[in-house]
């Protein structure tokens, strides 16, 4: 969550110095703005198909990149320079993509991102090379894109990579002995077909391959001919559609309308969020949403239901700002932006008109230097670094449509990380490890058969939030649906303290579900957990603070290579949540407002040898799977303001009144000021007693410290007035009193404004 973590230094320490007067705040803001404007921005170009049928994907590209750059700018930019995005519309047309490349060359952009499709990327690639502009794509999977092009980089997998693994998946997971391929007779379709066929034919049979000419005017007639031919033959075990989404839609419709019941495989272009919407005009889709895409299986770089914490944080932030969940397109370009920013940071460009060519070359060199795990960029699904051909190798995840929603398939293929620790012969024989032999690869690759467990944590009630004991109590349902052994249920809650019903019983017993069943071929286990859990609280912003309560479990028996927990999207009703139902478990918390609930697939690491002699001399890390539910609560500070700050506000007014006392009331001035000081100290002690031992200053304490200073200020003014009275300086006393009154008011108003500016977003939800 590093990209979304706020700076630990409390903002009030920065603003405290300007709380003396309003004009100082205004002048400081103006000065900051003036200095910011004086710094030259660093530009990044982004090519997207805004004026095309793929405009939704284009918007997602722009919004995801901007989301990342906003975070960079909030943290100071790149070496002190803000980052600005220049967006170009390639219209999803090769000719326009070429023209845009020439425009980017004339712009101040130091690095480019794009394009969405392989077709436009391939068209522009030679120009990027000739003009020496480094460019990164997060979605274009064409193999030739990065071949012999030192300026093009890719953060997604290639067509060859996904087709190889789709063929492996078809054989070993779907148990397919025969397959047929329908492919577009262009570079993309041919590459997809060739890789799939090469792998599949090693242990199974390709029954038929049909090519259609995507550029032909009568290509739709080819659809009818091919599907008719497919219907006449004995059905293959799977059909691979090696083509773009536009053409795949036509074949899927034709196949489903002929009632041909056969598993369909597709490439990543079919995983875009907008793909199911292509079928909206058909009556079958209106009667049964997902009629055409249901059970369609795809190769995808990332699927959110089994994504990690970083990806969930990205998806949550994206949805909060733009009102919808992102797809692999947004995730891909978020990662591409992260890689571009790393290269810019390392290159330290001069960012002038005369240094443009040199800066671009240095950035290209820095991109190429991201070439090993030790210097990898943390991506949303994996660590990103480039091979010699400038290809990153994110994991290939297998998704399937259930209705119109893409979820993780129940079995995945996960690369074997530590071959030296595995008895390959035994694991291959048992079917746990699946080898991949690609004639184009020098080394054989191996993959674990990874089990996906659909899991849910559904909170019934959050009973108590105990800040002083750093804990909370919760009652929730936990369920799992899985296709494998009961190792999936052997979990533990590391932060669990005790069973709320009976402290003598364990918090969780995997052998005691409240329901056991087999549903749709998957084992189903349901548990109810009632317990108390440890939790760390951050009181820096108290009483305007937001707190996160994290419920999570981990499986320390099976490594995440072999088992992973996915968020049960349907079971938790995350697609169409009822806002009122979501808030119900937290209504008994009188001091807190519910903000959000976020689920994430977790990975817990261990470097323990566990007594295994093979690990004694190895510096290896083993990852174990888990799942978390993170609840965000915001304190109802209205209650606090009435109970705690109202007395302080009255003391502020009482103290202020002493500045209007006559010069003959010196004793009264001092008495009231000292009494106010002592009263506020007692009030602060009572407030601190409600918190755990923080060891740092919380937000409200800065207000009290300022009040202590005002007390001393009024005492000092009283002493000076008394001295002037004795000497008979009445005019000076009047001037001093008026000045003190104005300064006191300015300080108080400045403090209020400072708190308002600091916590503006939370004050808007005042309750």
């Amino acid at each position: 969550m590093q990209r979304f973590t706020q700076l630990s230094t409390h903002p009030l320490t920065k603003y405290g110095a300007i709380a003396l007067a309003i004009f100082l705040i205004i002048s400081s803001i103006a000065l900051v703005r003036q200095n910011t404007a004086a710094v030259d921005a660093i530009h990044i170009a982004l090519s997207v198909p805004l004026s095309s049928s793929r405009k939704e994907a284009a918007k997602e590209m722009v919004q995801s990149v901007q989301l990342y750059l906003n975070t960079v700018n909030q943290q100071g930019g790149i070496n002190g320079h803000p980052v600005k995005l220049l967006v170009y519309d390639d219209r999803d047309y090769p000719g326009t993509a070429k023209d845009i490349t020439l425009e980017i060359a004339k712009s101040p952009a130091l690095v480019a991102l794009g394009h969405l499709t392989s077709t436009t990327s391939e068209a522009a690639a030679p120009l990027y090379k000739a003009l020496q502009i480094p460019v990164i794509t997060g979605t274009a999977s064409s193999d030739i894109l990065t071949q012999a092009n030192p300026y093009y980089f890719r953060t997604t997998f290639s067509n060859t990579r996904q087709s190889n693994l789709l063929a492996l998946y078809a054989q070993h997971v779907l148990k397919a002995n025969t397959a047929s391929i329908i492919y577009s007779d262009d570079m993309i379709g041919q590459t997809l077909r060739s890789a799939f066929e090469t792998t599949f034919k090693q242990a199974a049979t390709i029954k038929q391959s049909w090519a259609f000419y995507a550029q032909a005017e009568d290509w739709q007639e080819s659809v009818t001919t091919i599907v008719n031919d497919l219907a006449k033959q004995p059905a293959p075990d799977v059909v691979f559609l090696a083509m773009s989404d536009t053409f795949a839609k036509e074949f899927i419709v034709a196949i489903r309308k002929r009632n041909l019941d056969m598993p369909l495989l597709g490439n990543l272009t079919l995983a875009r969020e907008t793909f199911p919407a292509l079928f909206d005009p058909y009556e079958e889709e209106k009667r049964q949403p997902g009629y055409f895409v249901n059970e369609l299986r795809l190769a995808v770089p990332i699927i959110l239901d089994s994504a990690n914490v970083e990806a969930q944080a990205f998806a949550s932030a994206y949805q909060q700002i733009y009102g919808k969940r992102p797809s692999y397109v947004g995730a891909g370009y978020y990662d591409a932006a992260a890689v571009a920013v790393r290269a810019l940071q390392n290159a330290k460009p001069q960012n002038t008109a005369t240094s443009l060519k040199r800066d671009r070359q240095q950035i290209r060199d820095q991109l190429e230097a991201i070439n090993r795990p030790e210097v990898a960029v943390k991506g949303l699904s994996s660590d990103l670094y480039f091979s010699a051909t400038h290809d990153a190798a994110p994991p290939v995840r297998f998704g399937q449509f259930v209705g119109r929603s893409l979820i993780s398939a129940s079995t995945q293929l996960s690369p074997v990380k530590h071959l030296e620790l595995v008895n390959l012969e035994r694991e291959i024989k048992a079917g746990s490890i699946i080898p991949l032999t690609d004639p184009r690869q020098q080394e054989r690759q191996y993959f674990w058969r990874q089990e996906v467990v659909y899991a849910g944590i559904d909170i019934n009630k959050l009973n108590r939030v105990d800040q002083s004991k750093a804990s909370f109590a919760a009652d929730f349902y936990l369920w799992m649906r899985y296709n494998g052994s009961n190792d999936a249920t052997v979990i533990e809650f590391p932060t669990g303290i005790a069973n709320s019903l009976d402290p003598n019983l364990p918090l969780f017993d995997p052998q005691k579900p409240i329901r056991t069943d087999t549903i749709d071929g998957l084992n189903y286990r349901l548990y109810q957990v009632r317990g108390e859990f440890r939790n760390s609280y951050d009181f820096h912003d108290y009483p305007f603070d937001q707190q996160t309560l994290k419920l999570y479990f981990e499986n320390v028996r099976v490594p995440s290579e072999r088992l992973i927990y996915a968020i049960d999207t349907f079971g938790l009703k995350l697609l169409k949540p009822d806002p009122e139902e979501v808030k119900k478990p937290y209504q008994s918390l009188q001091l807190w407002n519910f903000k959000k609930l976020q689920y994430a697939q977790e990975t817990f690491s261990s470097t323990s040898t566990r007594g295994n002699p093979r690990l004694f001399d190895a510096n290896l890390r083993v990852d174990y799977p888990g799942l978390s539910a993170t609840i965000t609560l915001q304190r109802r500070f209205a209650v606090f303001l009435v109970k705690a700050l109202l007395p302080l506000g009255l003391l502020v007014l009482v103290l202020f009144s002493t500045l209007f006392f006559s010069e003959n009331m010196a004793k009264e001035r001092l008495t009231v000021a000292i009494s106010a000081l002592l009263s506020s100290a007692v009030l602060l002690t009572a407030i601190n007693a409600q918190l755990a031992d923080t060891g740092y200053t919380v937000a409200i304490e800065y207000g009290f410290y300022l009040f202590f200073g005002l007390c001393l200020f009024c005492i000092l003014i009283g002493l000076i007035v008394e001295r002037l009275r004795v000497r008979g300086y009445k005019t000076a006393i009047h001037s001093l009193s008026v000045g003190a009154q104005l300064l006191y008011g300015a300080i108080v108003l400045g403090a209020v404004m400072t708190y308002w500016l600091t916590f503006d977003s939370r004050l808007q939800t005042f309750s």
Side-chain angles (χ1 to χ4, degrees):
M1 305 283 289
Q2 184 178 3
R3 295 172 185 165
F4 299 93
T5 303
Q6 299 297 321
L7 295 176
S8 61
T9 303
H10 198 280
L12 289 175
T13 61
K14 177 171 64 177
Y15 293 126
I18 64 173
L20 294 176
I22 300 175
F23 75 92
L24 290 179
I25 298 175
I26 298 173
S27 62
S28 297
I29 294 174
L31 181 61
V32 168
R33 289 180 177 174
Q34 181 179 358
N35 290 340
T36 302
V39 177
D40 292 333
I42 290 177
H43 294 81
I44 294 177
L46 174 63
S47 298
V48 297
L50 283 171
S51 302
S52 74
S53 60
R54 308 183 196 278
K55 60 183 178 182
E56 292 302 319
K59 291 178 183 178
E60 191 173 334
M61 292 168 67
V62 175
Q63 292 166 346
S64 297
V65 173
Q66 192 61 63
L67 180 62
Y68 184 81
L69 297 185
N70 288 345
T71 303
V72 172
N73 286 332
Q74 289 168 6
Q75 296 176 352
I78 297 176
N79 303 323
H81 295 264
V83 189
K84 185 176 180 181
L85 186 64
L86 303 176
V87 179
Y88 296 86
D89 183 6
D90 66 17
R91 298 170 47 217
D92 198 28
Y93 181 67
T96 307
K98 293 179 182 179
D99 295 338
I100 278 177
T101 307
L102 298 175
E103 293 181 31
I104 293 174
K106 298 175 184 178
S107 77
L110 302 182
V111 61
L113 305 177
H115 301 245
L116 173 66
T117 65
S118 292
T119 302
T120 48
S121 298
E122 288 177 3
L127 281 173
Y128 283 118
K129 179 180 178 181
L131 297 169
Q132 299 182 345
I133 304 172
V135 58
I136 310 167
T137 180
T139 52
S141 54
S142 171
D143 286 66
I144 66 171
L145 189 59
T146 56
Q147 292 174 1
N149 190 335
Y151 288 87
Y152 228 122
F153 297 81
R154 177 180 16 237
T155 58
T156 190
F157 47 65
S158 67
N159 283 336
T160 295
R161 175 76 172 173
Q162 63 172 314
S163 288
N164 284 155
L165 289 175
L166 274 169
L168 211 64
Y169 179 82
Q171 287 181 31
H172 295 274
V173 178
L174 301 182
K175 304 299 182 183
N177 294 314
T178 61
S180 292
I181 306 172
I182 307 174
Y183 67 98
S184 55
D185 194 19
D186 52 24
M187 183 61 70
I188 297 171
Q190 291 172 4
T191 304
L192 289 167
R193 176 201 62 82
S194 176
F196 185 92
E197 191 174 79
T198 299
T199 300
F200 196 83
K201 286 172 63 176
Q202 293 175 17
T205 302
I206 298 293
K207 293 189 64 175
Q208 183 75 44
S209 288
W210 291 278
F212 70 94
Y213 299 93
Q215 301 302 322
E217 293 183 1
D218 62 344
W219 68 268
Q220 288 183 316
E221 295 180 11
S222 298
V223 174
T224 303
T225 302
I226 292 171
V227 173
N228 286 339
D229 196 9
L230 178 64
K232 293 176 184 178
Q233 303 181 19
D237 293 330
V238 294
V239 175
F240 178 38
L241 303 177
M243 61 195 72
S244 68
D245 54 351
T246 304
F247 301 118
K249 170 242 181 181
E250 299 295 334
F251 278 99
I252 292 172
V253 169
I255 289 171
R256 297 302 190 213
K257 282 183 175 292
R258 290 293 301 270
N259 294 317
L260 301 181
D261 187 15
M262 56 188 66
L264 300 179
L265 301 178
N267 65 88
L268 81 166
T269 63
L270 279 60
R272 293 175 190 149
E273 186 186 69
T274 53
F275 182 67
L278 296 178
F279 302 91
D280 286 347
Y282 298 97
E283 289 300 323
E284 295 91 339
E285 189 70 18
K286 293 176 182 178
R287 290 195 301 268
Q288 181 184 337
Y291 174 84
F292 290 100
V293 298
N294 195 38
E295 295 299 319
L296 173 65
R297 290 174 172 83
L298 312 172
V300 193
I302 186 172
I303 306 175
L304 287 177
D305 67 358
S306 59
N308 59 23
V309 177
E310 288 81 5
Q312 297 296 344
F314 156 70
S316 178
Y318 186 98
Q319 185 172 29
Q320 183 176 0
I321 296 173
Y322 303 116
K324 59 188 299 187
R325 297 284 281 180
S327 69
Y328 81 92
V329 173
Y333 276 93
Y334 189 87
D335 280 350
V339 173
V341 167
R342 167 72 72 82
L344 285 163
Q345 290 171 334
N346 293 342
K348 296 181 174 61
Q350 295 180 19
N351 198 32
T352 64
T354 56
S355 68
L356 184 59
K357 183 176 181 180
R358 182 172 62 254
D359 288 344
R360 288 173 174 172
Q361 183 62 40
Q362 289 176 342
I363 292 164
R364 190 219 73 87
D365 294 343
Q366 289 299 327
L367 285 170
E368 194 169 67
I370 305 174
N371 57 8
R372 57 192 187 280
E374 294 78 13
V375 295
V377 176
K378 183 69 175 177
L380 294 179
S381 61
S382 65
D383 292 340
L384 298 171
Y385 58 95
F386 298 110
S387 65
T389 58
H390 293 179
D391 292 317
V396 177
R397 308 299 293 174
F398 300 99
Q400 67 181 67
F401 279 103
V402 175
R404 293 165 67 102
S405 300
L406 185 67
I407 67 170
S408 296
S410 60
T411 302
Q412 303 283 333
L413 301 180
S414 175
V416 178
K417 295 180 180 179
H418 307 301
L419 283 172
E420 67 277 13
L421 303 180
V422 176
N423 186 326
L424 274 177
E425 182 179 353
R426 183 182 65 192
E427 298 293 353
I428 291 174
K429 186 176 181 180
S432 300
I433 288 182
I434 302 169
L436 171 62
T437 303
D438 185 348
R440 288 160 289 196
Q441 298 287 339
Q442 295 181 353
E443 295 184 3
R444 208 178 189 193
Q445 301 173 63
Y446 299 91
F447 297 86
W448 286 107
R449 182 189 294 271
Q450 185 189 62
E451 178 184 347
V452 174
V453 181
Y454 304 106
I457 296 176
D458 197 359
I459 298 171
N460 300 317
K461 188 176 182 180
L462 198 62
N463 299 310
R464 184 180 69 257
V465 176
D466 194 333
Q467 303 159 88
S468 61
K469 295 182 179 179
S471 67
F472 66 92
D475 176 347
F476 58 92
Y477 287 120
L478 166 67
W479 67 80
M480 299 182 192
R481 295 185 292 112
Y482 56 95
N483 182 19
S485 68
N486 285 327
D487 283 342
T489 63
V490 184
I491 61 170
E492 59 185 42
F493 290 84
T495 60
I497 299 175
N499 187 318
S500 297
L501 295 179
D502 188 346
N504 296 318
L505 294 177
L507 176 68
F508 175 79
D509 187 346
Q511 303 300 322
K512 294 183 178 180
I514 61 174
R515 183 177 176 186
T516 301
D517 206 341
T518 301
I519 303 175
D520 295 332
L522 297 177
N523 297 319
Y524 170 65
R525 302 290 183 271
L526 174 65
Y527 303 88
Q528 185 169 10
V529 181
R530 299 183 180 94
E532 187 173 356
F533 301 84
R534 290 187 299 274
N535 194 75
S536 60
Y537 295 96
D538 183 355
F539 298 107
H540 279 94
D541 293 343
Y542 180 85
F544 311 102
D545 52 318
Q546 289 185 351
Q547 300 293 346
T548 57
L549 312 182
K550 189 172 182 178
L551 277 170
Y552 68 96
F553 64 79
E554 63 182 35
N555 185 324
V556 294
R557 176 176 294 185
V558 186
S560 56
E561 289 177 310
R562 306 190 63 175
L563 184 145
I564 193 171
Y565 294 94
I567 303 164
D568 187 0
T569 307
F570 295 101
L572 291 166
K573 299 182 180 180
L574 298 180
L575 299 177
K576 295 181 179 179
D578 183 339
E580 295 305 316
E581 288 295 324
V582 171
K583 294 179 181 179
K584 275 186 179 180
Y586 317 99
Q587 291 177 349
S588 62
L589 299 176
Q590 297 181 354
L591 298 179
W592 300 93
N593 278 335
F594 171 78
K595 297 296 292 183
K596 66 178 180 179
L597 174 60
Q598 180 175 300
Y599 296 95
Q601 176 262 122
E602 297 275 359
T603 300
F604 306 92
S605 301
S606 174
T607 56
S608 171
T609 66
R610 301 198 174 195
N612 186 342
R614 293 180 177 178
L615 298 176
F616 289 172
D617 298 321
N619 185 23
L620 300 178
R621 185 189 74 181
V622 180
D623 294 331
Y624 294 94
L627 190 81
S628 67
T630 302
I631 308 156
T632 302
L633 303 175
Q634 180 172 315
R635 190 183 301 275
R636 292 180 177 177
F637 48 82
V639 177
F640 176 87
L641 295 180
V642 172
K643 290 186 175 181
L645 290 193
L646 181 59
L648 181 62
L650 294 175
L651 288 175
V652 169
L653 294 177
V654 170
L655 185 63
F656 184 45
S657 68
T658 63
L659 298 176
F660 294 89
F661 287 6
S662 71
E663 61 269 23
N664 297 320
M665 300 177 66
K667 181 179 179 181
E668 288 79 2
R669 283 176 182 262
L670 298 178
T671 301
V672 172
I674 293 173
S675 298
L677 179 63
L678 294 175
S679 298
S680 62
V682 172
L683 183 60
L684 177 59
T685 302
I687 292 173
N688 285 336
Q690 302 174 26
L691 307 178
D693 186 11
T694 60
Y696 51 79
T697 303
V698 303
I700 194 60
E701 288 181 305
Y702 289 100
F704 276 92
Y705 295 157
L706 179 61
F707 181 73
F708 296 160
L710 289 174
C711 290
L712 294 176
F713 170 74
C714 290
I715 291 173
L716 179 61
I717 292 297
L719 293 174
I720 295 175
V721 167
E722 176 63 16
R723 183 68 59 89
L724 293 176
R725 185 191 66 80
V726 171
R727 297 184 179 184
Y729 297 143
K730 292 189 176 182
T731 302
I733 291 173
H734 176 73
S735 299
L736 178 62
S737 297
V738 172
Q741 293 162 10
L742 292 174
L743 183 57
Y744 187 102
I747 292 174
V748 172
L749 185 57
V752 172
M753 289 183 63
T754 299
Y755 274 99
W756 182 270
L757 291 172
T758 305
F759 303 108
D760 178 45
S761 61
R762 299 179 189 179
L763 290 171
Q764 290 177 8
T765 58
F766 188 94
S767 60

